[in-house]
Amino acid sequence: MGNLFSVKQACEQVGLNAIITNSKKTILASSAVILPGVGAFGDAMQILEQLDLVQVIQELANSGKPVAGICLGMQLLMTESHEFGRHRGLGLIEGEVTRLSVDTHLDRPLKVPHMGWSRIYSADSIDEQVPVGAWKGSLIEDLPNGTFMYFVHSYYPKPESPDVRLSLTRYGSLEFCSSFQKRNIFGCQFHPERSGPRGLAIYRKLAASIHSLQEQHSYD
Amino acid sequence: MNVRVIARLDIKGPNLVKGIHLEGLRVLGKPERFARHYYEQGADELVYMDAVASLYQRNSLLDIVTRTSREIFIPLTVGGGIRSLDDINQVLRAGADKVSLNTAAIQNPEFIKEAARRFGSSTIVISIEAIRQPDGRYQAYTNNGRESTGFDAVEWAMRVAESGAGEILLTSVDREGTGKGFDLELTSAIAGAVPIPVIAAGGAGKLSHVAEVVQQGRADAVCLASMLHYNLLRSLSSKDDFSGEGNVEYLKNQRGFSKVEDSALPEIKTYLIKSGIPCRAETLDTSRA
């Protein structure tokens, strides 16, 4: 999962011109960056370092352009991960990434990876009728509380500050942060590009935020 | 965890086909049309299986994958005849999210590790086609259940999980297309033995079968074909152009398949929830998608 081409197709669906690239120049010239990611945390960071992209992404995030991390991409935004050893991340969101622990004593232990559709809830309320105030201005603003999204992961991020958490998701007895946003930096553990029309709404919001940034700049 | 209900489409050339015991193919229609319908009806994932898996037809399959992934935004797994890392790459580039491997993994179990390392575990689904042996054990087969491998199905499942497979698509060849119900013993033996999700396939003929394989078979997901296809066929007045492959007569006669009580996805999900099995029950408003 976490196919680059699915991400590209979702972008095209909402009118965004997406380029799959590892070129510094292209990335710096873009209006927004989506960091997808498959595979292991350590490998991904090593590749970003080899391509000299760590600083590029950090700079971009500080410049105010939208940066969206999906699945492993979300985890990479964190300070560090404990997947196969200890690895430093991009450090844009404080906190660590840890493995989903399952209750093995259960008659039917939960499977890892957590794979399938799960609801995303506001940290304040699980009431589906109430629009989530904390989601206003974020990329999930248009979603109802309790929306189903498609997940595939064995690790999850634990942001230190509860303020950045947008949504929580339950897996067995565990409740984890399934999306966060800190200013222009957004991350989601689920795959919005494979989560039907509601998932596409996140891409649509991303497109809208890019357009409004561009308009602001044209007034400057 | 919410149980996934996955629609499986077996594809031959440009057509959706359905067989019994994975043989004796019948042409049912255009796969994209079925896929679109299942997406709107709330299918949790789609699986496309190349029923012939011969290379000269691969381009036709890749085209179907691309067209599908442009308009359907749920996970799409593609399998059948995928032998190399290049093959996987090609299928993913066409728009698949996961690939399903059988023969290539059996011939070279190291291939699972290589594929998982390169594309991520969650991209690699291992398909196990199991046939019950006279001694009650199950053996893994390849080539739509035609070739024996000598591998014990449960041991093989444990090995693929250790090698980094993200999930297992488990088909009972004995039950496939029969409508007699899933092989509960097989499913529970494998689902209980591995830490990764197991998708049960083969045999669903009525609603209670689907609940049984989750409750007694401990399946994490169910894969349905006949039940869904025949339901949709009945509701379609078919204007499709069939390219003369397979047995089209069956379709012209619009005959149902008596052993399968067909059912639509919303009905199946409602039934599961009533049976105490959590799942995502929603049809999609795709008007903006």
Side-chain angles (χ1 to χ4, degrees):
Chain A
M1 277 291 296
N3 186 349
L4 290 172
F5 303 93
S6 305
V7 173
K8 188 170 156 67
Q9 253 151 16
C11 287
E12 282 165 5
Q13 188 74 17
V14 301
L16 285 174
N17 173 27
I19 303 166
I20 298 173
T21 181
N22 58 17
S23 141
K24 249 179 171 178
K25 229 173 99 181
T26 311
I27 295 171
L28 283 169
S30 62
S31 333
V33 165
I34 297 174
L35 197 57
V38 258
F41 190 101
D43 293 346
M45 279 308 295
Q46 202 186 342
I47 291 168
L48 287 178
E49 273 155 22
Q50 277 164 7
L51 293 168
D52 207 11
L53 293 179
V54 171
Q55 227 187 333
V56 173
I57 298 169
Q58 287 166 338
E59 262 173 46
L60 211 89
N62 292 329
S63 77
K65 286 181 185 173
V67 173
I70 296 169
C71 197
L72 176 66
M74 174 205 211
Q75 298 174 5
L76 294 174
L77 299 173
M78 308 292 294
T79 318
E80 64 173 13
S81 167
H82 296 274
E83 181 177 356
F84 303 125
R86 202 172 172 147
H87 305 277
R88 228 162 56 155
L90 293 167
L92 295 167
I93 303 285
E94 275 177 42
E96 55 176 35
V97 178
T98 52
R99 190 167 168 85
L100 286 170
S101 54
V102 288
D103 303 322
T104 43
H105 63 274
L106 291 177
D107 166 50
R108 197 171 161 165
L110 284 171
K111 300 291 176 84
V112 175
H114 163 216
M115 191 176 294
W117 295 78
S118 293
R119 292 181 186 274
I120 62 168
Y121 286 107
S122 145
D124 306 323
S125 157
I126 61 163
D127 191 338
E128 286 164 39
Q129 305 310 317
V130 184
V132 185
W135 292 2
K136 210 164 160 35
S138 79
L139 291 190
I140 60 171
E141 176 175 351
D142 295 337
L143 302 181
N145 203 7
T147 298
F148 279 106
M149 289 286 161
Y150 191 87
F151 289 80
V152 184
H153 63 124
S154 304
Y155 290 78
Y156 68 99
K158 287 163 84 172
E160 270 171 31
S161 159
D163 298 343
V164 303
R165 298 185 312 188
L166 283 175
S167 68
L168 302 179
T169 293
R170 256 180 249 133
Y171 190 51
S173 55
L174 176 77
E175 197 169 57
F176 64 92
C177 169
S178 50
S179 68
F180 56 58
Q181 186 154 353
K182 184 179 168 188
R183 298 189 307 270
N184 52 319
I185 302 161
F186 171 82
C188 57
Q189 186 57 67
F190 48 86
H191 289 275
E193 65 282 355
R194 296 283 100 177
S195 296
R198 294 260 168 84
L200 286 180
I202 295 179
Y203 282 88
R204 202 165 277 117
K205 200 78 197 167
L206 176 66
S209 73
I210 292 169
H211 292 145
S212 78
L213 268 176
Q214 282 168 345
E215 271 171 31
Q216 266 175 36
H217 283 294
S218 62
Y219 292 132
D220 288 346
Chain B
M1 183 57 200
N2 295 314
V3 163
R4 288 171 283 155
V5 181
I6 299 171
R8 170 178 169 150
L9 288 78
D10 292 302
I11 294 170
K12 182 185 179 192
N15 292 322
L16 170 66
V17 294
K18 190 68 199 79
I20 303 172
H21 300 298
L22 299 172
E23 298 217 46
L25 301 178
R26 293 163 165 177
V27 167
L28 302 185
K30 289 276 173 286
E32 297 94 321
R33 186 168 185 182
F34 283 71
R36 175 89 207 172
H37 178 78
Y38 298 146
Y39 172 56
E40 286 167 359
Q41 295 250 299
D44 293 315
E45 294 186 31
L46 295 176
V47 172
Y48 277 4
M49 277 291 175
D50 189 345
V52 181
S54 56
L55 285 172
Y56 72 95
Q57 283 190 332
R58 183 49 55 78
N59 287 343
S60 136
L61 178 75
L62 292 180
D63 288 346
I64 296 171
V65 168
T66 301
R67 284 198 297 273
T68 305
S69 68
R70 279 200 189 120
E71 60 168 30
I72 284 168
F73 297 92
I74 53 174
L76 171 63
T77 300
V78 174
I82 297 173
R83 297 294 159 87
S84 64
L85 294 175
D86 275 350
D87 286 349
I88 298 177
N89 200 28
Q90 228 187 0
V91 172
L92 295 178
R93 274 182 170 269
D97 299 287
K98 313 181 195 180
V99 293
S100 156
L101 310 172
N102 183 4
T103 309
I106 294 256
Q107 284 173 350
N108 173 19
E110 282 298 305
F111 182 56
I112 303 173
K113 283 188 193 162
E114 288 168 26
R117 202 176 303 134
R118 168 123 172 237
F119 302 103
S121 279
S122 61
T123 307
I124 309 302
V125 182
I126 298 297
S127 162
I128 299 181
E129 296 168 2
I131 296 183
R132 195 183 169 98
Q133 305 299 305
D135 65 358
R137 295 169 72 93
Y138 291 91
Q139 210 181 94
Y141 280 67
T142 57
N143 208 356
N144 292 339
R146 281 190 287 270
E147 277 168 46
S148 153
T149 64
F151 283 43
D152 177 85
V154 180
E155 283 166 20
W156 174 235
M158 290 162 73
R159 184 154 174 209
V160 307
E162 279 164 25
S163 302
E167 59 189 321
I168 290 171
L169 170 58
L170 176 63
T171 306
S172 159
V173 177
D174 304 311
R175 300 297 179 91
E176 172 68 25
T178 64
K180 291 180 184 162
F182 293 92
D183 189 329
L184 301 179
E185 202 184 313
L186 167 71
T187 312
S188 107
I190 289 186
V194 296
I196 56 175
V198 172
I199 306 164
K206 54 182 178 186
L207 289 170
S208 60
H209 291 155
V210 182
E212 273 168 16
V213 80
V214 175
Q215 284 165 334
Q216 295 164 45
R218 304 153 70 102
D220 301 287
V222 290
C223 197
L224 303 176
S226 308
M227 255 179 113
L228 301 176
H229 300 337
Y230 294 134
N231 185 267
L232 177 54
L233 274 180
R234 279 200 298 130
S235 66
L236 286 178
S237 64
S238 184
K239 297 185 193 101
D240 274 338
D241 160 44
F242 299 104
S243 323
E245 286 192 56
N247 176 8
V248 206
E249 285 309 312
Y250 153 76
L251 191 72
K252 286 184 186 149
N253 296 336
Q254 291 271 326
R255 276 188 293 126
F257 182 45
S258 57
K259 294 206 182 66
V260 173
E261 290 171 26
D262 63 57
S263 197
L265 280 157
E267 197 186 342
I268 295 167
K269 299 252 184 128
T270 306
Y271 182 86
L272 288 178
I273 286 175
K274 258 200 266 169
S275 312
I277 298 169
C279 62
R280 161 183 161 263
E282 59 177 5
T283 50
L284 303 183
D285 173 13
T286 53
S287 52
R288 289 196 68 193

PDB file of all heavy atoms in Angstrom, chain B residues 231-250:
ATOM      1  N   ASN B 231     -25.752 -11.190  -8.386  1.00  0.00           N
ATOM      2  CA  ASN B 231     -26.702 -10.182  -7.939  1.00  0.00           C
ATOM      3  C   ASN B 231     -26.724  -8.994  -8.895  1.00  0.00           C
ATOM      4  O   ASN B 231     -27.786  -8.512  -9.294  1.00  0.00           O
ATOM      5  CB  ASN B 231     -26.321  -9.720  -6.525  1.00  0.00           C
ATOM      6  CG  ASN B 231     -27.332  -8.772  -5.954  1.00  0.00           C
ATOM      7  OD1 ASN B 231     -27.206  -7.557  -6.077  1.00  0.00           O
ATOM      8  ND2 ASN B 231     -28.368  -9.322  -5.338  1.00  0.00           N
ATOM      9  N   LEU B 232     -25.539  -8.568  -9.272  1.00  0.00           N
ATOM     10  CA  LEU B 232     -25.468  -7.414 -10.164  1.00  0.00           C
ATOM     11  C   LEU B 232     -25.989  -7.781 -11.557  1.00  0.00           C
ATOM     12  O   LEU B 232     -26.711  -7.006 -12.180  1.00  0.00           O
ATOM     13  CB  LEU B 232     -24.022  -6.904 -10.244  1.00  0.00           C
ATOM     14  CG  LEU B 232     -23.778  -5.737 -11.195  1.00  0.00           C
ATOM     15  CD1 LEU B 232     -24.708  -4.568 -10.887  1.00  0.00           C
ATOM     16  CD2 LEU B 232     -22.337  -5.258 -11.098  1.00  0.00           C
ATOM     17  N   LEU B 233     -25.638  -8.968 -12.020  1.00  0.00           N
ATOM     18  CA  LEU B 233     -26.078  -9.398 -13.351  1.00  0.00           C
ATOM     19  C   LEU B 233     -27.589  -9.360 -13.478  1.00  0.00           C
ATOM     20  O   LEU B 233     -28.130  -8.973 -14.507  1.00  0.00           O
ATOM     21  CB  LEU B 233     -25.615 -10.837 -13.610  1.00  0.00           C
ATOM     22  CG  LEU B 233     -24.226 -10.992 -14.178  1.00  0.00           C
ATOM     23  CD1 LEU B 233     -23.927 -12.474 -14.376  1.00  0.00           C
ATOM     24  CD2 LEU B 233     -24.093 -10.251 -15.505  1.00  0.00           C
ATOM     25  N   ARG B 234     -28.252  -9.786 -12.419  1.00  0.00           N
ATOM     26  CA  ARG B 234     -29.710  -9.803 -12.477  1.00  0.00           C
ATOM     27  C   ARG B 234     -30.262  -8.397 -12.633  1.00  0.00           C
ATOM     28  O   ARG B 234     -31.322  -8.194 -13.213  1.00  0.00           O
ATOM     29  CB  ARG B 234     -30.267 -10.441 -11.195  1.00  0.00           C
ATOM     30  CG  ARG B 234     -30.237 -11.968 -11.261  1.00  0.00           C
ATOM     31  CD  ARG B 234     -31.189 -12.581 -10.275  1.00  0.00           C
ATOM     32  NE  ARG B 234     -30.837 -12.249  -8.908  1.00  0.00           N
ATOM     33  CZ  ARG B 234     -31.691 -11.767  -8.020  1.00  0.00           C
ATOM     34  NH1 ARG B 234     -32.937 -11.554  -8.358  1.00  0.00           N
ATOM     35  NH2 ARG B 234     -31.290 -11.487  -6.803  1.00  0.00           N
ATOM     36  N   SER B 235     -29.535  -7.417 -12.074  1.00  0.00           N
ATOM     37  CA  SER B 235     -30.047  -6.053 -12.123  1.00  0.00           C
ATOM     38  C   SER B 235     -29.598  -5.299 -13.376  1.00  0.00           C
ATOM     39  O   SER B 235     -30.011  -4.186 -13.617  1.00  0.00           O
ATOM     40  CB  SER B 235     -29.620  -5.292 -10.866  1.00  0.00           C
ATOM     41  OG  SER B 235     -28.230  -5.138 -10.856  1.00  0.00           O
ATOM     42  N   LEU B 236     -28.757  -5.918 -14.149  1.00  0.00           N
ATOM     43  CA  LEU B 236     -28.275  -5.242 -15.363  1.00  0.00           C
ATOM     44  C   LEU B 236     -29.017  -5.745 -16.586  1.00  0.00           C
ATOM     45  O   LEU B 236     -29.210  -6.943 -16.747  1.00  0.00           O
ATOM     46  CB  LEU B 236     -26.788  -5.538 -15.596  1.00  0.00           C
ATOM     47  CG  LEU B 236     -25.747  -4.871 -14.723  1.00  0.00           C
ATOM     48  CD1 LEU B 236     -24.370  -5.377 -15.138  1.00  0.00           C
ATOM     49  CD2 LEU B 236     -25.809  -3.372 -14.852  1.00  0.00           C
ATOM     50  N   SER B 237     -29.413  -4.863 -17.443  1.00  0.00           N
ATOM     51  CA  SER B 237     -29.837  -5.339 -18.767  1.00  0.00           C
ATOM     52  C   SER B 237     -28.592  -5.195 -19.605  1.00  0.00           C
ATOM     53  O   SER B 237     -28.143  -4.114 -19.910  1.00  0.00           O
ATOM     54  CB  SER B 237     -30.968  -4.487 -19.312  1.00  0.00           C
ATOM     55  OG  SER B 237     -30.514  -3.178 -19.516  1.00  0.00           O
ATOM     56  N   SER B 238     -28.001  -6.300 -19.928  1.00  0.00           N
ATOM     57  CA  SER B 238     -26.643  -6.235 -20.435  1.00  0.00           C
ATOM     58  C   SER B 238     -26.564  -5.752 -21.870  1.00  0.00           C
ATOM     59  O   SER B 238     -27.071  -6.372 -22.783  1.00  0.00           O
ATOM     60  CB  SER B 238     -25.988  -7.595 -20.300  1.00  0.00           C
ATOM     61  OG  SER B 238     -24.665  -7.454 -20.711  1.00  0.00           O
ATOM     62  N   LYS B 239     -25.889  -4.609 -22.017  1.00  0.00           N
ATOM     63  CA  LYS B 239     -25.659  -4.106 -23.381  1.00  0.00           C
ATOM     64  C   LYS B 239     -24.181  -4.214 -23.701  1.00  0.00           C
ATOM     65  O   LYS B 239     -23.710  -3.660 -24.677  1.00  0.00           O
ATOM     66  CB  LYS B 239     -26.100  -2.647 -23.472  1.00  0.00           C
ATOM     67  CG  LYS B 239     -27.577  -2.452 -23.232  1.00  0.00           C
ATOM     68  CD  LYS B 239     -27.951  -0.981 -23.455  1.00  0.00           C
ATOM     69  CE  LYS B 239     -29.327  -0.669 -22.921  1.00  0.00           C
ATOM     70  NZ  LYS B 239     -29.308  -0.001 -21.615  1.00  0.00           N
ATOM     71  N   ASP B 240     -23.454  -4.900 -22.816  1.00  0.00           N
ATOM     72  CA  ASP B 240     -22.016  -5.000 -23.024  1.00  0.00           C
ATOM     73  C   ASP B 240     -21.670  -5.738 -24.303  1.00  0.00           C
ATOM     74  O   ASP B 240     -22.399  -6.603 -24.759  1.00  0.00           O
ATOM     75  CB  ASP B 240     -21.365  -5.740 -21.853  1.00  0.00           C
ATOM     76  CG  ASP B 240     -21.049  -4.781 -20.719  1.00  0.00           C
ATOM     77  OD1 ASP B 240     -20.934  -3.582 -21.003  1.00  0.00           O
ATOM     78  OD2 ASP B 240     -20.935  -5.245 -19.578  1.00  0.00           O
ATOM     79  N   ASP B 241     -20.549  -5.365 -24.820  1.00  0.00           N
ATOM     80  CA  ASP B 241     -20.042  -6.048 -25.995  1.00  0.00           C
ATOM     81  C   ASP B 241     -19.061  -7.115 -25.518  1.00  0.00           C
ATOM     82  O   ASP B 241     -18.087  -6.815 -24.857  1.00  0.00           O
ATOM     83  CB  ASP B 241     -19.318  -5.020 -26.875  1.00  0.00           C
ATOM     84  CG  ASP B 241     -18.368  -5.675 -27.846  1.00  0.00           C
ATOM     85  OD1 ASP B 241     -18.771  -6.682 -28.446  1.00  0.00           O
ATOM     86  OD2 ASP B 241     -17.237  -5.171 -27.992  1.00  0.00           O
ATOM     87  N   PHE B 242     -19.361  -8.344 -25.798  1.00  0.00           N
ATOM     88  CA  PHE B 242     -18.471  -9.404 -25.351  1.00  0.00           C
ATOM     89  C   PHE B 242     -17.567  -9.825 -26.490  1.00  0.00           C
ATOM     90  O   PHE B 242     -18.018 -10.068 -27.585  1.00  0.00           O
ATOM     91  CB  PHE B 242     -19.278 -10.582 -24.822  1.00  0.00           C
ATOM     92  CG  PHE B 242     -20.123 -10.186 -23.659  1.00  0.00           C
ATOM     93  CD1 PHE B 242     -21.481  -9.997 -23.807  1.00  0.00           C
ATOM     94  CD2 PHE B 242     -19.526  -9.936 -22.441  1.00  0.00           C
ATOM     95  CE1 PHE B 242     -22.249  -9.587 -22.740  1.00  0.00           C
ATOM     96  CE2 PHE B 242     -20.291  -9.526 -21.370  1.00  0.00           C
ATOM     97  CZ  PHE B 242     -21.657  -9.346 -21.517  1.00  0.00           C
ATOM     98  N   SER B 243     -16.306  -9.893 -26.173  1.00  0.00           N
ATOM     99  CA  SER B 243     -15.340 -10.079 -27.251  1.00  0.00           C
ATOM    100  C   SER B 243     -15.120 -11.537 -27.602  1.00  0.00           C
ATOM    101  O   SER B 243     -14.037 -11.937 -27.992  1.00  0.00           O
ATOM    102  CB  SER B 243     -14.023  -9.425 -26.866  1.00  0.00           C
ATOM    103  OG  SER B 243     -14.254  -8.239 -26.165  1.00  0.00           O
ATOM    104  N   GLY B 244     -16.130 -12.329 -27.444  1.00  0.00           N
ATOM    105  CA  GLY B 244     -16.063 -13.692 -27.939  1.00  0.00           C
ATOM    106  C   GLY B 244     -15.127 -14.604 -27.197  1.00  0.00           C
ATOM    107  O   GLY B 244     -14.607 -15.565 -27.751  1.00  0.00           O
ATOM    108  N   GLU B 245     -14.885 -14.301 -25.892  1.00  0.00           N
ATOM    109  CA  GLU B 245     -14.049 -15.207 -25.123  1.00  0.00           C
ATOM    110  C   GLU B 245     -14.923 -15.907 -24.115  1.00  0.00           C
ATOM    111  O   GLU B 245     -15.834 -15.311 -23.565  1.00  0.00           O
ATOM    112  CB  GLU B 245     -12.964 -14.427 -24.388  1.00  0.00           C
ATOM    113  CG  GLU B 245     -11.882 -13.955 -25.297  1.00  0.00           C
ATOM    114  CD  GLU B 245     -10.700 -13.446 -24.500  1.00  0.00           C
ATOM    115  OE1 GLU B 245     -10.175 -14.200 -23.677  1.00  0.00           O
ATOM    116  OE2 GLU B 245     -10.318 -12.297 -24.702  1.00  0.00           O
ATOM    117  N   GLY B 246     -14.620 -17.145 -23.880  1.00  0.00           N
ATOM    118  CA  GLY B 246     -15.340 -17.860 -22.834  1.00  0.00           C
ATOM    119  C   GLY B 246     -16.763 -18.208 -23.250  1.00  0.00           C
ATOM    120  O   GLY B 246     -17.156 -18.083 -24.410  1.00  0.00           O
ATOM    121  N   ASN B 247     -17.538 -18.597 -22.303  1.00  0.00           N
ATOM    122  CA  ASN B 247     -18.881 -19.093 -22.560  1.00  0.00           C
ATOM    123  C   ASN B 247     -19.906 -17.979 -22.402  1.00  0.00           C
ATOM    124  O   ASN B 247     -20.362 -17.677 -21.309  1.00  0.00           O
ATOM    125  CB  ASN B 247     -19.163 -20.240 -21.580  1.00  0.00           C
ATOM    126  CG  ASN B 247     -20.569 -20.752 -21.721  1.00  0.00           C
ATOM    127  OD1 ASN B 247     -21.281 -20.355 -22.632  1.00  0.00           O
ATOM    128  ND2 ASN B 247     -20.950 -21.632 -20.815  1.00  0.00           N
ATOM    129  N   VAL B 248     -20.273 -17.352 -23.513  1.00  0.00           N
ATOM    130  CA  VAL B 248     -21.176 -16.213 -23.453  1.00  0.00           C
ATOM    131  C   VAL B 248     -22.635 -16.670 -23.422  1.00  0.00           C
ATOM    132  O   VAL B 248     -23.524 -15.918 -23.031  1.00  0.00           O
ATOM    133  CB  VAL B 248     -20.963 -15.274 -24.661  1.00  0.00           C
ATOM    134  CG1 VAL B 248     -21.382 -13.866 -24.314  1.00  0.00           C
ATOM    135  CG2 VAL B 248     -19.508 -15.261 -25.070  1.00  0.00           C
ATOM    136  N   GLU B 249     -22.839 -17.897 -23.869  1.00  0.00           N
ATOM    137  CA  GLU B 249     -24.212 -18.425 -23.924  1.00  0.00           C
ATOM    138  C   GLU B 249     -24.898 -18.306 -22.570  1.00  0.00           C
ATOM    139  O   GLU B 249     -26.055 -17.920 -22.456  1.00  0.00           O
ATOM    140  CB  GLU B 249     -24.194 -19.902 -24.354  1.00  0.00           C
ATOM    141  CG  GLU B 249     -23.916 -20.101 -25.829  1.00  0.00           C
ATOM    142  CD  GLU B 249     -24.836 -19.256 -26.703  1.00  0.00           C
ATOM    143  OE1 GLU B 249     -26.054 -19.284 -26.456  1.00  0.00           O
ATOM    144  OE2 GLU B 249     -24.324 -18.555 -27.601  1.00  0.00           O
ATOM    145  N   TYR B 250     -24.134 -18.630 -21.563  1.00  0.00           N
ATOM    146  CA  TYR B 250     -24.660 -18.592 -20.208  1.00  0.00           C
ATOM    147  C   TYR B 250     -25.254 -17.224 -19.889  1.00  0.00           C
ATOM    148  O   TYR B 250     -26.333 -17.097 -19.334  1.00  0.00           O
ATOM    149  CB  TYR B 250     -23.526 -18.922 -19.227  1.00  0.00           C
ATOM    150  CG  TYR B 250     -23.735 -18.328 -17.884  1.00  0.00           C
ATOM    151  CD1 TYR B 250     -24.655 -18.889 -17.002  1.00  0.00           C
ATOM    152  CD2 TYR B 250     -23.052 -17.174 -17.513  1.00  0.00           C
ATOM    153  CE1 TYR B 250     -24.878 -18.310 -15.771  1.00  0.00           C
ATOM    154  CE2 TYR B 250     -23.276 -16.610 -16.285  1.00  0.00           C
ATOM    155  CZ  TYR B 250     -24.185 -17.165 -15.423  1.00  0.00           C
ATOM    156  OH  TYR B 250     -24.411 -16.592 -14.216  1.00  0.00           O
TER     157      TYR B 250
END
